[in-house]
Amino acid sequence: MIIPFFDATRLVKKTEAETNAAIKRVLNSGKFVLDEEVNKFEKEFSSYIGTTHGIGVNSGTDAIKIALKTLGVGTGDEVITVSNTATPTISAIRELGATPVFVDTDEYFLMDVRKIEAAITRKAKVLLPVHLYGQTADMVEIMKIANKHSLKVVEDCAQATGSKAGDKKAGSFGDLSCFSFYPTKNLGAYGDGGMILTNSKEYATTCRQLRVYGMQETYFANIEGFNSRLDEIQAAILRTKLPTLDSNNERRAFIAHQYLSKIDNPEIELPKIRNGNLHVFHLFVVKISKRESFIDHLKKNSIGFGIHYPFPVHLQKAYEFLGYKNGSLLNTENDSEKIISLPIFPELTDKEIESVIEIINKFKFK
Ligand SMILES: Cc1ncc(COP(=O)(O)O)c(C=O)c1O
């Protein structure tokens, strides 16, 4: 049996009728960009997360860029974030000419709140935690630190749609929060898409201008902006998928529970869930010291896997100029050598889950 790491076609097949109806509705309307479907999806999604405004944009990367620009971030400003993230978190900061400052990660692979204050300089403007793998960072503590130092907070929620810390959803804590609807995400489009959420009317107005060339009125640029629009077909598809997000996240949690309770190979370190968190398991990331040998075992047994991420951003060539070296962020670097992501997506069958567990439990380092 071949067990894929992710297979988008299973959901596509299951939801073909709804998807086709949504696409047809848009085609028949003759409105393809920033119209009724986007407006409705912005309202439905912001209400799902628990904020008052939603601004649909072209991608998660653009969401971060526009959120930061809304806060006035630009050249010379520092944005405090993590290196254990997808590169786009950092490329969005750099697109504005600002400098990312990295905080090491904790035992949950998230921004270590005990290390934030040491990273704050007079140039710091924003704290940008990343809710990686589906788990919310310690937002209560992060908001406290931000308030103490008069910093703004932008949440990168790309991997954590629907996750919670306490009774609040990721994306409802910060000044602005950013989501990605890239197809692999827990709420994925069939193309690119993203959203910025905020409770501030003023920020929402600025974000809306920034996504269309900085225009408030057609053909009149109020501020310097971008082209970052969410299209109607993606919004219509996302509207059909939003009502199933919670049940899909529950299925992910079920798979995670099976792995957590049945993988008992002493070579494997299972992921930890912070007290009070609802983890939505965008990824199921384990640690293993003998990764190469484990990878051979998975390949031999036709089990798909991923590594998120093999190269922490601060050690990538493009970011050498930031001046970080091997040893700058010890947890991040150690984890990057050991982490491996196992298959976890709602359409994985019970038989496949059992098979993954059985094969992993058979792994022995030779
Ligand atoms: C943590 C994180 N931030 C930002 C992004 C960027 O999102 P997008 O690919 O929609 O631009 C991604 C997705 O790759 C991500 O995983």
Side-chain angles (χ1 to χ4, degrees), residues 58-64 84-90 130-133 156-159 178-182 184-185 192-194 282 309:
N58 187 254
S59 67
T61 313
D62 276 2
I64 299 169
N84 182 34
T85 183
T87 306
T89 310
I90 310 311
V130 180
H131 306 312
L132 206 70
Y133 307 151
D156 180 343
C157 307
Q159 298 193 4
C178 305
F179 290 81
S180 163
F181 305 122
Y182 186 74
T184 56
K185 298 296 192 260
D192 274 313
H282 172 59
Y309 296 89

Side-chain angles (χ1 to χ4, degrees), residues 66 76 85 109 128 158 162 191 222 233 236-237 248 263-265 280 292 333 340 348:
I66 291 173
T85 183
F109 304 111
L128 202 172
N222 215 22
I233 288 183
I237 291 169
N248 281 332
I263 294 177
D264 59 5
N265 190 324
V280 292
E292 284 316 308
E333 291 161 24
I340 183 155
L348 207 60

Side-chain angles (χ1 to χ4, degrees), residues 114-337:
R114 294 159 297 195
K115 296 180 180 160
I116 296 175
E117 286 195 293
I120 299 175
T121 72
R122 281 180 33 228
K123 294 182 186 163
K125 205 154 192 176
V126 172
L127 292 185
L128 202 172
V130 180
H131 306 312
L132 206 70
Y133 307 151
Q135 173 151 232
T136 314
D138 185 351
M139 287 312 296
V140 172
E141 198 53 37
I142 288 171
M143 295 311 292
K144 267 193 216 155
I145 297 170
N147 286 336
K148 181 173 160 195
H149 294 272
S150 303
L151 298 172
K152 297 290 181 194
V153 176
V154 172
E155 296 173 68
D156 180 343
C157 307
Q159 298 193 4
T161 310
S163 81
K164 285 184 183 173
D167 56 6
K168 282 185 71 169
K169 288 206 174 94
S172 65
F173 292 89
D175 295 279
L176 297 127
S177 59
C178 305
F179 290 81
S180 163
F181 305 122
Y182 186 74
T184 56
K185 298 296 192 260
N186 288 34
L187 179 62
Y190 294 149
D192 274 313
M195 177 93 70
I196 305 159
L197 298 183
T198 181
N199 286 322
S200 156
K201 194 170 172 209
E202 189 193 329
Y203 291 158
T205 305
T206 307
C207 288
R208 281 183 201 289
Q209 292 178 27
L210 287 172
R211 78 173 164 183
V212 278
Y213 322 121
M215 290 178 178
Q216 189 169 17
E217 270 173 60
T218 312
Y219 303 132
F220 184 82
N222 215 22
I223 46 178
E224 281 188 295
F226 313 102
N227 171 3
S228 183
R229 301 175 294 221
L230 181 60
D231 73 67
E232 287 282 288
I233 288 183
Q234 296 309 334
I237 291 169
L238 287 161
R239 289 186 67 211
T240 68
K241 290 176 113 189
L242 181 58
T244 62
L245 176 61
D246 281 345
S247 58
N248 281 332
N249 280 345
E250 276 161 29
R251 175 74 185 163
R252 286 175 185 270
F254 169 80
I255 300 169
H257 180 73
Q258 298 300 301
Y259 287 167
L260 287 168
S261 57
K262 295 183 182 164
I263 294 177
D264 59 5
N265 190 324
E267 304 281 359
I268 310 265
E269 193 182 322
L270 295 164
K272 299 180 180 68
I273 306 174
R274 201 164 56 82
N275 243 343
N277 267 7
L278 177 76
H279 195 318
V280 292
F281 287 100
H282 172 59
L283 295 168
F284 191 91
V285 177
V286 301
K287 289 204 266 183
I288 181 153
S289 304
K290 294 120 189 174
R291 188 166 67 189
E292 284 316 308
S293 159
F294 185 58
I295 286 175
D296 286 345
H297 179 75
L298 294 178
K299 281 184 179 161
K300 242 181 255 153
N301 288 285
S302 306
I303 296 185
F305 64 91
I307 300 178
H308 303 87
Y309 296 89
F311 308 108
V313 183
H314 71 286
L315 299 180
Q316 294 177 21
K317 187 164 176 274
Y319 299 102
E320 263 171 14
F321 71 96
L322 291 170
Y324 290 86
K325 299 267 175 301
N326 245 314
S328 301
L329 300 162
L330 280 178
N331 278 350
T332 301
E333 291 161 24
N334 287 338
D335 284 350
S336 73
E337 285 166 16

